[in-house]
C-alpha cells in the first residue's frame, strides 16, 4: 500500500508539470525516482504477499531473490563508496551540477535544492559560483536574464528578524568576491558540507543502514522457511498418496 501511494504521488507530480519540462530532466526528477522506487517496491512486496497467501513457491522464490539482490546491491554500494570515496564524491558532484543546470526546469527539483542549501547552510556544488552553470544565473555578459550573476534565495544568510523572505537577496552575488559575498550568502559548496555531515553522523547512518538491512534479512529468512515448509508438505502429500495406492497400506 505504501508503494502504491508512492507511485500515485509520483504520477500526480509528473502530470502537474509542463510537457516541455517532462523530457528536459528525467534523470534528476524526484517524481520519476519516486515512481521507479514505488513500482519496484510494489512488485517485490506483491510477490511476497501473494506468494505467502497462496503458498506459491515461485512467487516466494522471486521475493527472496529480489530481496537478496537489493541487500547485496546496498552492501556493495556502501563498500565501494567507502573504498572509492573520491569517485563517489565525483559522482555526487556530477549529480549536483546536473541539478543546478535544471534548477528552473522542475519545481520539485527546485524545492529539493532549496531545502538542501538551507539545511546544510551551503550554496552550489563546490562554491556559490557554480550557479553560473544555470542559464538563468549565468554570469556572462550576453545573458539577458534578470537573475544574471545571482544565486537562489536559499543561499542567503538567515535573518531572524526578517518576517518576509526576500527572494532577490542573492542578486548579483556572483560578481562579488568570497569575503564580500560571505556577508550576505553562504559561500561554501554543498559537497563539502555533505561530506562533513556524513563524517559527523557515521553512527546515525550506520543505525539507519542496519535498520533497513534487518527487515530485508528477516524477510529472506522467513521466505526460505516458508518455502521449506511448503516443500515438506508437498513431499508428505506425495508420500501419503503413494501409500494409499498400496494394497498393504
Amino acid at each position: 500500500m505504501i508503494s502504491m501511494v508512492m507511485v500515485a504521488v509520483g504520477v500526480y507530480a509528473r502530470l502537474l508539470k509542463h510537457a516541455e519540462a517532462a523530457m528536459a530532466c528525467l534523470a534528476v526528477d524526484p517524481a520519476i525516482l519516486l515512481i521507479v522506487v514505488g513500482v519496484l517496491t510494489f512488485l517485490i512486496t506483491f510477490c511476497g504477499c501473494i506468494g505467502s497467501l497462496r503458498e506459491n513457491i515461485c512467487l516466494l522464490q522471486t521475493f527472496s531473490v529480489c530481496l537478496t539482490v537489493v541487500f547485496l546491491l546496498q552492501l556493495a554500494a556502501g563498500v565501494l563508496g567507502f573504498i572509492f570515496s573520491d569517485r563517489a564524491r565525483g559522482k555526487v558532484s556530477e549529480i549536483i551540477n546536473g541539478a543546478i543546470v535544471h534548477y528552473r526546469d522542475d519545481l520539485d527539483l527546485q524545492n529539493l535544492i532549496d531545502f538542501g542549501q538551507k539545511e546544510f547552510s551551503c550554496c552550489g556544488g563546490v562554491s556559490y559560483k557554480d550557479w553560473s552553470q544555470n542559464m538563468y544565473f549565468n554570469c556572462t555578459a550576453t545573458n539577458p536574464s534578470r537573475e544574471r550573476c545571482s544565486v537562489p534565495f536559499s543561499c542567503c544568510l538567515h535573518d531572524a528578524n526578517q518576517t518576509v523572505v526576500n527572494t532577490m537577496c542573492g542578486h548579483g552575488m556572483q560578481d562579488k568576491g568570497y569575503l564580500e559575498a560571505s556577508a550576505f550568502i553562504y559561500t561554501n559548496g554543498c559537497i563539502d558540507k555533505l561530506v562533513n555531515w556524513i563524517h559527523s553522523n557515521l553512527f546515525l547512518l550506520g543505525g539507519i543502514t542496519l535498520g533497513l538491512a534487518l527487515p530485508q534479512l528477516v524477510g529472506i529468512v522467513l521466505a526460505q522457511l516458508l518455502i521449506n515448509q511448503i516443500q515438506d508438505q508437498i513431499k508428505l502429500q506425495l508420500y501419503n498418496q503413494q501409500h494409499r495406492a498400496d494394497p498393504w497400506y
Side-chain angles (χ1 to χ4, degrees):
M1 291 181 67
I2 293 174
S3 61
M4 291 175 66
V5 170
M6 292 171 63
V7 173
V9 172
V11 171
Y12 178 73
R14 286 303 303 172
L15 292 176
L16 289 180
K17 297 176 183 178
H18 297 292
E20 60 271 15
M23 300 302 295
C25 51
L26 292 178
V28 291
D29 189 351
I32 292 295
L33 180 62
L34 200 63
I35 293 173
V36 171
V37 173
V39 169
L40 291 177
T41 306
F42 175 80
L43 292 176
I44 294 173
T45 52
F46 178 84
C47 290
C49 182
I50 302 301
S52 60
L53 289 175
R54 303 297 299 176
E55 295 186 348
N56 188 299
I57 294 179
C58 182
L59 290 177
L60 286 173
Q61 287 284 19
T62 303
F63 172 74
S64 181
V65 169
C66 288
L67 275 187
T68 303
V69 170
V70 171
F71 175 77
L72 292 177
L73 288 175
Q74 291 175 347
L75 184 62
V79 172
L80 292 176
F82 181 77
I83 296 175
F84 302 103
S85 56
D86 292 337
R87 292 188 180 181
R89 180 190 176 95
K91 188 62 178 179
V92 171
S93 178
E94 182 183 334
I95 293 173
I96 291 178
N97 289 333
I100 288 174
V101 170
H102 296 290
Y103 177 75
R104 290 295 190 203
D105 300 337
D106 190 332
L107 185 58
D108 293 333
L109 181 63
Q110 181 176 321
N111 291 332
L112 183 62
I113 294 174
D114 287 335
F115 172 79
Q117 292 190 146
K118 290 177 183 177
E119 189 71 18
F120 291 102
S121 301
C122 60
C123 186
V126 177
S127 74
Y128 65 100
K129 294 195 175 182
D130 287 341
W131 280 102
S132 195
Q133 298 177 62
N134 186 278
M135 62 182 296
Y136 299 100
F137 299 111
N138 189 275
C139 216
T140 56
T142 56
N143 185 11
S145 173
R146 292 183 179 181
E147 295 181 304
R148 176 183 171 274
C149 279
S150 300
V151 295
F153 73 94
S154 55
C155 288
C156 298
L157 298 175
H158 178 67
D159 187 358
N161 298 323
Q162 189 177 17
T163 56
V164 180
V165 177
N166 178 17
T167 57
M168 296 299 292
C169 59
H171 184 72
M173 288 298 159
Q174 291 187 57
D175 275 335
K176 302 181 183 296
Y178 278 86
L179 290 177
E180 188 179 0
S182 62
F184 305 96
I185 63 171
Y186 304 114
T187 54
N188 293 326
C190 293
I191 296 176
D192 290 333
K193 288 280 188 176
L194 180 60
V195 171
N196 292 335
W197 183 86
I198 291 174
H199 288 163
S200 302
N201 296 272
L202 287 177
F203 288 106
L204 175 62
L205 293 174
I208 294 174
T209 303
L210 186 62
L212 293 174
L214 280 178
Q216 294 173 0
L217 292 174
V218 170
I220 295 170
V221 172
L222 292 179
Q224 289 299 325
L225 288 176
L226 183 55
I227 289 171
N228 292 335
Q229 289 179 359
I230 296 171
Q231 290 175 340
D232 290 340
Q233 289 293 327
I234 292 174
K235 291 179 182 178
L236 181 61
Q237 290 177 0
L238 291 175
Y239 178 82
N240 290 334
Q241 289 176 0
Q242 290 174 356
H243 283 74
R244 285 196 184 97
D246 189 350
W248 297 99
Y249 178 72

